[in-house]
Amino acid sequence: MQVTETLNEGLKRAYTITLTSAELDAKVDEKLKEAQPDIEMKGFRKGKVPMALLKKQFGDKVMGEAMQESIDGAMQAHFEASGDRPAMQPKVEMVDGENWTLGDDVAVSMEYEALPEIPEVDLKSIKLERMVVKAGDSEVDEALASLAETAQNFEPRKKGSKAKDGDQVVIDFLGKVDGEAFEGGAAEDYPLVLGSNSFIPGFEEQLVGVKAGEEKNVEVNFPEEYQAEHLAGKAAVFECTVKEVKEPKAAELNDELATKFGAEDLAALKGQIAERLEGEYAGAARAVMKRSLLDALDKMVSFDLPPSLLDAEAGQIAHQLWHDENPDVQGHDHPEISPTEEHLKLAGRRVRLGLLLAELGQKAEVQVTDAEMTQAIMNQARQYPGQERQFFEFVQQNQQMQQQLRAPLFEDKVIDYAFELATVKDKEVSKDDLQKAVDALDDE
């Protein structure tokens, strides 16, 4: 076997791997000898079929396997000897292609882009500022008021009052299409909150302004994509009788409210809210500090980037931004999207930092545990109610999906490792200051 270098330019590499016919024949004989003890053939006892007959019967099939194994072995040996790490799957092709015949030597071309050498960085030299926000009384009271709204009750309005958006109207209704009542289109004493969008579009708006005791016909059109096909796109009339009009009343802020949310008393609930808020603030502050860390790392390193990774990342950025600007277009049914210089610049930063973080994580022996992966899969599965088990099984059988879930976990652990080594100074700031810093992340 011979490996000959044909290109060494920047990160681009190309080699020709030549396997002699004698080497291939020896590999075929080796594989047939391994299989011989288990082969049965008419006229011969198990394991006693002559090699010449085996080669005649199975030689062509085994030749393909022998060729693939030899090439794979040569590639692995090359990467181990050279220390190269391909940025993407190497492109491998037979030189002779369809002109190759049994008995000829085999020449294979292998092309790839090598990952660059990543320079060392001194994480201890990085200085970072961590924004710390304490949950004050006003923030806790604001969150507590929001909780009280979720636990609100409805109390009857004064007689003759008109229903407002946000009020609850208690109604009897009967729905008809083409003058005929339809199944599921009737109810009595139904409590409907106006503005909740729980009924078909246009229904609730027509009840704003009604009074208790009033009768009103509500005319609507079922959406074209309505789940009941016999009603989809149809015009309907709902004969409504308004029995009561009620206004929302926020729950009182007391110990009874606290127990509804699992706390012993109001003081304990306030403590839980403060803890939750400060956890949210800490998460936002971490995002800001992470950007500062990445900015510092980006300034510390410079190295060549594999063009294939750069082009792929720039294409993905351009594609995502185009869809953000054209949310109505689904799939890939759109004009060709070409990355701009700005896309390439952002792609360069992402690829460079991605390679650097991967190198830092590898040297620090950062690992994503099975428990962490399981938790990540479970969190993702909650987005598919009723299909959690199917999603879990899908991820277990899909290596690409597993990598998509593992990558952000790995990156977060590398970021935490860098935080531990960097010099981090806490700075107490206001909630507004933190929000401005978070907003600045989105603007960049």
Side-chain angles (χ1 to χ4, degrees):
M1 182 185 305
Q2 183 178 0
V3 179
T4 306
E5 183 178 80
T6 58
L7 177 65
N8 189 331
E9 184 179 299
L11 297 175
K12 294 182 179 180
R13 305 283 187 272
Y15 297 86
T16 299
I17 302 173
T18 303
L19 306 173
T20 67
S21 60
E23 289 173 322
L24 286 173
D25 283 342
K27 187 69 174 178
V28 169
D29 290 344
E30 178 186 333
K31 293 184 70 65
L32 288 174
K33 286 179 180 178
E34 289 177 1
Q36 187 179 30
D38 299 317
I39 295 177
E40 294 184 66
M41 190 177 293
K42 188 175 181 180
F44 300 94
R45 287 180 296 162
K46 181 179 179 181
K48 299 299 183 181
V49 181
M51 280 295 298
L53 188 56
L54 288 178
K55 198 164 187 177
K56 181 179 179 181
Q57 186 78 12
F58 304 108
D60 290 350
K61 178 182 178 182
V62 175
M63 174 62 77
E65 297 175 2
M67 192 182 301
Q68 187 63 56
E69 286 185 12
S70 297
I71 294 169
D72 290 344
M75 290 172 59
Q76 183 177 350
H78 163 74
F79 289 128
E80 289 176 355
S82 66
D84 279 354
R85 292 177 296 165
M88 301 183 76
Q89 185 69 22
K91 180 182 178 182
V92 180
E93 294 180 343
M94 284 187 66
V95 174
D96 296 330
E98 296 179 356
N99 296 323
W100 181 83
T101 57
L102 195 63
D104 291 346
D105 294 345
V106 175
V108 174
S109 66
M110 176 177 66
E111 300 176 9
Y112 63 89
E113 292 171 2
L115 289 175
E117 289 291 329
I118 310 297
E120 295 281 346
V121 294
D122 182 11
L123 295 175
K124 294 181 180 179
S125 68
I126 298 176
K127 292 180 170 56
L128 300 172
E129 188 175 81
R130 177 166 44 215
M131 305 176 83
V132 179
V133 179
K134 299 294 184 183
D137 292 340
S138 60
E139 289 85 8
V140 173
D141 289 342
E142 182 182 347
L144 192 59
S146 296
L147 277 180
E149 287 184 11
T150 65
Q152 67 183 5
N153 297 311
F154 290 91
E155 296 181 357
R157 285 191 177 276
K158 292 181 180 179
K159 188 175 181 181
S161 296
K162 294 182 179 180
K164 301 178 181 179
D165 198 37
D167 282 355
Q168 182 189 79
V169 291
V170 180
I171 59 174
D172 293 345
F173 62 83
L174 175 65
K176 295 181 180 180
V177 171
D178 297 330
E180 298 291 332
F182 56 88
E183 185 178 355
E188 295 182 354
D189 297 324
Y190 189 92
L192 175 63
V193 177
L194 303 182
S196 64
N197 297 318
S198 54
F199 272 31
I200 58 178
F203 189 101
E204 296 168 25
E205 293 87 339
Q206 296 181 53
L207 292 178
V208 173
V210 298
K211 303 176 182 178
E214 184 177 342
E215 295 183 353
K216 184 177 180 67
N217 286 348
V218 175
E219 299 180 5
V220 294
N221 286 306
F222 283 97
E224 294 290 344
E225 65 278 8
Y226 195 67
Q227 62 268 26
E229 293 184 5
H230 67 290
L231 297 175
K234 296 289 184 66
V237 176
F238 285 83
E239 300 170 355
C240 301
T241 299
V242 182
K243 291 187 171 181
E244 291 183 272
V245 175
K246 299 181 178 183
E247 62 181 333
K249 290 289 184 181
E252 293 186 23
L253 303 178
N254 52 28
D255 292 342
E256 182 180 353
L257 173 68
T259 58
K260 290 183 179 180
F261 290 98
E264 291 184 4
D265 52 32
L266 188 59
L269 180 59
K270 287 185 175 182
Q272 291 177 8
I273 291 174
E275 185 177 342
R276 175 178 60 80
L277 288 175
E278 291 184 359
E280 293 175 358
Y281 298 152
R286 184 186 188 280
V288 173
M289 191 165 73
K290 176 181 176 180
R291 173 62 65 83
S292 297
L293 171 67
L294 294 178
D295 288 345
L297 291 172
D298 194 30
K299 293 176 181 178
M300 295 173 71
V301 297
S302 177
F303 49 85
D304 291 337
L305 301 177
S308 58
L309 293 184
L310 190 60
D311 291 343
E313 185 66 27
Q316 185 175 348
I317 291 171
H319 194 267
Q320 182 61 52
L321 291 176
W322 190 92
H323 275 286
D324 289 345
E325 295 170 359
N326 301 272
D328 296 334
V329 180
Q330 303 295 324
H332 300 281
D333 187 17
H334 52 66
E336 184 179 352
I337 303 170
S338 300
T340 64
E341 287 298 321
E342 191 64 27
H343 297 148
L344 285 167
K345 181 179 177 182
L346 178 56
R349 172 185 165 98
R350 289 187 180 178
V351 171
R352 182 165 50 253
L353 289 173
L355 293 174
L356 176 58
L357 292 176
E359 184 76 3
L360 290 173
Q362 184 179 15
K363 289 183 177 179
E365 298 183 349
V366 172
Q367 297 289 334
V368 176
T369 66
D370 291 343
E372 290 167 338
M373 272 298 293
T374 300
Q375 186 61 51
I377 296 172
M378 291 175 65
N379 292 341
Q380 193 80 3
R382 293 192 183 98
Q383 298 182 22
Y384 307 93
Q387 298 179 318
E388 292 88 349
R389 183 179 180 84
Q390 294 93 316
F391 179 82
F392 202 92
E393 292 175 350
F394 166 74
V395 173
Q396 285 182 320
Q397 298 169 8
N398 190 308
Q399 291 291 331
Q400 185 176 359
M401 189 65 181
Q402 289 178 32
Q403 182 56 31
Q404 289 179 6
L405 293 173
R406 180 179 285 104
L409 296 177
F410 177 83
E411 179 178 299
D412 280 344
K413 297 186 81 168
V414 176
I415 293 294
D416 287 336
Y417 164 75
F419 285 162
E420 291 175 4
L421 293 180
T423 301
V424 179
K425 182 180 179 181
D426 288 344
K427 180 182 179 182
E428 195 163 325
V429 300
S430 68
K431 175 186 173 184
D432 290 340
D433 288 337
L434 175 60
Q435 187 59 53
K436 289 178 183 177
V438 171
D439 292 341
L441 299 181
D442 297 330
D443 293 339
E444 294 182 10

